[in-house]
Amino acid sequence: MMAASQGLTAAGHPNDVDRKRIERALQARQRYLYVRPSVVPAQGGYRIESPCCSRNVDREGGVIDVALIQFSQGYWRLYRKDHAQGT
């Protein structure tokens, strides 16, 4: 209801304000001490990707998907990457 009253719609996502907010939240996390995750626009939201430090996930140490954040039906939905199953 609040989003509708502010004129925000699903078409307004992704946008730079939300992307910057997510980037700031990621910087504050202690889990990411040695790598810098990046926030990439994706259809209806954002994809979080990061250089891989675990050779169990990516032997080459490349960039991997961490999460997907999508705005759908007025709500934000967070999906995590299950590297073992590839989903």
Side-chain angles (χ1 to χ4, degrees), residues 11 22 30 51-52 80 87:
I22 294 167
Q30 291 184 355
C52 182
R80 69 176 175 86
T87 58

Side-chain angles (χ1 to χ4, degrees), residues 14-15 18-19 22 39-42 44-48 67-69 76:
N15 63 55
D18 289 330
R19 183 180 53 79
I22 294 167
V39 180
V40 180
Y46 308 92
R47 188 179 74 245
I48 312 293
L68 178 64
I69 303 170
W76 285 102

Side-chain angles (χ1 to χ4, degrees), residues 13-77:
H13 297 287
N15 63 55
D16 285 338
V17 174
D18 289 330
R19 183 180 53 79
K20 286 292 189 185
R21 187 180 329 151
I22 294 167
E23 288 173 349
R24 278 194 305 272
L26 287 172
Q27 288 173 354
R29 290 192 50 144
Q30 291 184 355
R31 181 177 188 113
Y32 300 110
L33 289 177
Y34 304 109
V35 295
R36 298 266 185 233
S38 58
V39 180
V40 180
Q43 184 174 350
Y46 308 92
R47 188 179 74 245
I48 312 293
E49 59 184 25
S50 178
C52 182
C53 293
S54 172
R55 300 296 180 224
N56 294 329
V57 175
D58 184 356
R59 293 200 182 279
E60 303 296 319
V63 176
I64 59 168
D65 292 335
V66 176
L68 178 64
I69 303 170
Q70 289 186 319
F71 190 77
S72 175
Q73 300 174 352
Y75 295 97
W76 285 102
R77 299 177 192 274

